[in-house]
Amino acid sequence: MCCSLLPLLVALSPALLLLLQRPDVADGHWEDYKYGRQGAEHHCTWKCVLFTLQWPGGFCQSLNNESLCRIPQNVNNWTIHGLWPLKSKDCCDCWPMFHSDVQELEAELTEHWPSLLKTKSSFQFWREEWRKHGACAACVEGLNSPLRYFQICLKLRHQFDIHRLLDDAGITPSCDRPYKVEEVHGVLAPHLGDKLEIQCVTDDKGQQVWFQVKIGLSRNLTVGCDHHGDAAAGPGPGWYPSPGHPCPPGDPFYYLPIDHEQPLRPCG
């Protein structure tokens, strides 16, 4: 029997092998990892989580490389970058994610959480976000599996309809009209909390371009968690810095339109 299992074990991914070696999984609790671990919330070491939305037109400016960026034809709105617990010690690289975990959400994720890189498929993006951040958030019961993590992210995306809020206030993508932080903050803060962060990147012309919005949420996903003291530490061990920076309060920035054909040059 032992020898007959060897080819199967060799074929398994390193991440899955690590997972199977965990005592709780080896004792027969695999279903907890597939459908959600229970009762772990009191072990959470983080109090704030950042729900981060990115504007595709600004994301492409962050790359400064025309050959890397793509904006799928069905993407014309703010997209999800991630849900990132801050200062978390609850991460586990040994919790794998498979395509079947999110298959029922794939159509929604493809629209609202697409990869904007030619070199990375959308599933690779989702799996990377789960490994780096989702597994850190999984100490909370409502986030304690890949399926639940991505379901919550999609619900938050529908809850925080930034495009509608901005459009209703006359803040629309433009090549010519610059905006200021206080103007945008005044529109978004009543809905996203005072602790939201408006992020820019600097384009190749030296202009500030709107890139992201980071929304601070508490563990129960209510807005307004004061994450700024934790932000320097980053969202968990697998985190890497975003190319964005807070938009300078006194400087104008541009909210560039989306151009599917020329994503890096929407204004010609």
Side-chain angles (χ1 to χ4, degrees):
M1 177 67 70
C2 173
C3 296
S4 66
L5 288 176
L6 186 58
L8 174 61
L9 292 174
V10 170
L12 290 173
S13 70
L16 186 53
L17 284 173
L18 285 171
L19 178 59
L20 292 173
Q21 290 168 11
R22 286 178 62 99
D24 47 352
V25 177
D27 289 342
H29 296 289
W30 167 256
E31 294 299 297
D32 289 345
Y33 283 84
K34 186 175 182 182
Y35 298 110
R37 291 186 300 186
Q38 305 298 321
E41 187 159 353
H42 63 284
H43 295 302
C44 279
T45 58
W46 52 272
K47 69 172 185 176
C48 293
V49 61
L50 293 181
F51 183 57
T52 305
L53 294 168
Q54 61 187 3
W55 178 244
F59 172 83
C60 291
Q61 307 304 313
S62 75
L63 298 176
N64 202 24
N65 186 328
E66 197 160 2
S67 65
L68 288 180
C69 193
R70 65 171 179 187
I71 303 177
Q73 291 293 327
N74 67 327
V75 173
N76 294 285
N77 209 319
W78 288 80
T79 62
I80 300 169
H81 190 169
L83 184 65
W84 308 332
L86 293 171
K87 294 184 72 173
S88 177
K89 299 177 183 177
D90 305 296
C91 302
C92 174
D93 276 353
C94 61
W95 191 338
M97 172 182 159
F98 303 100
H99 188 267
S100 58
D101 292 328
V102 293
Q103 198 162 11
E104 67 188 76
L105 304 176
E106 188 167 12
E108 274 192 278
L109 288 172
T110 299
E111 178 181 356
H112 299 300
W113 199 334
S115 170
L116 301 176
L117 289 174
K118 293 180 180 178
T119 55
K120 183 183 297 183
S121 72
S122 288
F123 177 72
Q124 286 175 318
F125 184 22
W126 307 332
R127 185 171 58 186
E128 184 178 275
E129 289 294 308
W130 166 255
R131 181 179 64 81
K132 292 179 177 178
H133 310 295
C136 305
C139 57
V140 173
E141 186 171 341
L143 298 166
N144 60 348
S145 73
L147 176 61
R148 291 177 179 177
Y149 173 76
F150 287 99
Q151 283 176 328
I152 287 293
C153 288
L154 287 169
K155 287 179 180 178
L156 291 172
R157 168 62 185 76
H158 291 301
Q159 178 182 341
F160 301 124
D161 189 352
I162 292 178
H163 192 277
R164 180 183 59 80
L165 295 172
L166 295 169
D167 194 60
D168 288 349
I171 298 176
T172 57
S174 171
C175 291
D176 304 313
R177 181 185 173 188
Y179 298 96
K180 288 197 172 182
V181 170
E182 61 180 16
E183 181 181 6
V184 173
H185 189 276
V187 171
L188 297 181
H191 307 275
L192 310 183
D194 287 336
K195 306 300 181 184
L196 75 104
E197 185 173 303
I198 298 166
Q199 285 205 320
C200 286
V201 293
T202 306
D203 68 9
D204 57 5
K205 299 176 183 176
Q207 299 179 133
Q208 297 296 317
V209 174
W210 197 2
F211 167 45
Q212 287 190 147
V213 171
K214 292 183 176 180
I215 306 165
L217 305 173
S218 62
R219 198 181 298 173
N220 65 0
L221 302 181
T222 56
V223 299
C225 194
D226 187 2
H227 64 275
H228 291 90
D230 294 340
W239 179 78
Y240 57 90
S242 158
H245 55 261
C247 297
D251 296 344
F253 63 84
Y254 287 89
Y255 180 22
L256 295 180
I258 290 173
D259 188 322
H260 299 95
E261 304 304 322
Q262 298 185 94
L264 189 60
R265 309 285 177 189
C267 300

